[in-house]
């Protein structure tokens, strides 16, 4: 059995892209500065001291270590799953690799800055989605890949085999 660890290259690319964009935002934007790019999209520099949707952001600082530990634990577990997985399970391997990359990118940011840099801001008229980053997008796409894989596996199991060469 060939291992799927070769997919970790995708994790590395996700980490490098996200951290590179975060560095550009920190260097070129003031905190809360926003540039409108589309009628529904801004680049806006924000700091997130919590997790998704600023969960636990108002705590005294312990959450930084908690979320960093969680990112390391989940990334380690998913790396183990990649090791156990078949190299040909592409949707599943892409999912694991993107979740690992996104989680570690936010973890690295949290470890070195004490917060996560967010910069993608979607809105429509008065509605505003919480500002997020590419690492969050990679995690989301990774989870979607796992759903696609699960659907394909379920479909393969429930679809009966029909022999087109049979004479009856």
């Amino acid at each position: 059995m060939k291992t799927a660890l070769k997919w970790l290259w995708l994790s590395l690319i996700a980490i490098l892209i996200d951290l590179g964009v975060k560095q550009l935002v920190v260097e070129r934007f003031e905190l809360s500065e926003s540039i409108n790019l589309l009628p529904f999209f801004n680049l806006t520099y924000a700091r997130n001291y919590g997790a998704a949707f600023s969960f636990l952001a108002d705590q005294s600082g312990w959450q930084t270590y908690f979320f960093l530990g969680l990112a390391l634990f989940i990334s380690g577990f998913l790396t183990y799953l990649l090791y156990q997985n078949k190299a040909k399970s592409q949707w599943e391997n892409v999912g694991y690799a993107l979740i690992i990359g996104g989680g570690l990118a936010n973890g690295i940011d949290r470890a070195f800055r004490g917060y996560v840099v967010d910069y993608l801001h979607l809105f429509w008229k008065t509605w505003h989605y919480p500002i997020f980053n590419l690492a969050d997008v990679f995690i989301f796409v990774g989870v979607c890949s796992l759903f696609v894989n699960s659907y394909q596996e379920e479909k393969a199991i429930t679809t009966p085999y029909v022999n087109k060469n049979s004479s009856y």
Side-chain angles (χ1 to χ4, degrees):
M1 175 174 105
K2 289 191 175 187
T3 180
L5 281 178
K6 70 178 186 174
W7 285 93
L8 287 176
W9 66 267
L10 187 56
S11 301
L12 180 61
I13 289 173
I15 292 167
L16 293 174
I17 289 171
D18 180 67
L19 292 178
V21 173
K22 286 175 179 173
Q23 188 60 37
L24 285 172
V25 168
V26 168
E27 289 174 357
R28 300 192 177 173
F29 283 69
E30 295 294 324
L31 185 60
S32 301
E33 182 181 353
S34 188
I35 295 176
N36 183 252
L37 298 178
L38 296 170
F40 56 89
F41 178 71
N42 289 343
L43 285 179
T44 303
Y45 176 22
R47 294 176 180 171
N48 186 352
Y49 292 90
F53 308 107
S54 295
F55 177 65
L56 296 177
D58 59 349
Q59 298 300 303
S60 62
W62 63 266
Q63 76 276 18
T64 299
Y65 304 104
F66 174 74
F67 292 129
L68 182 56
L70 193 60
L72 291 172
F73 174 77
I74 291 171
S75 295
F77 179 69
L78 293 179
T79 301
Y80 171 76
L81 292 179
L82 271 177
Y83 174 74
Q84 296 291 334
N85 213 12
K86 295 177 184 144
K88 65 181 180 176
S89 301
Q90 291 185 358
W91 283 107
E92 191 173 11
N93 296 333
V94 165
Y96 291 152
L98 287 174
I99 295 168
I100 291 166
L104 288 179
N106 279 340
I108 291 167
D109 211 25
R110 194 177 305 282
F112 287 95
R113 298 183 201 276
Y115 55 86
V116 173
V117 173
D118 286 332
Y119 46 86
L120 301 173
H121 181 195
L122 295 172
F123 61 92
W124 185 252
K125 297 182 182 179
T126 59
W127 173 84
H128 291 264
Y129 190 78
I131 302 169
F132 58 101
N133 59 44
L134 282 175
D136 301 330
V137 173
F138 295 140
I139 292 168
F140 176 78
V141 171
V143 170
C144 289
S145 286
L146 294 178
F147 279 126
V148 167
N149 180 71
S150 176
Y151 174 75
Q152 286 183 335
E153 284 182 357
E154 182 179 311
K155 189 175 177 182
I157 292 170
T158 59
T159 304
Y161 173 74
V162 177
N163 184 353
K164 294 179 182 177
N165 295 325
S166 70
S167 59
Y168 59 95

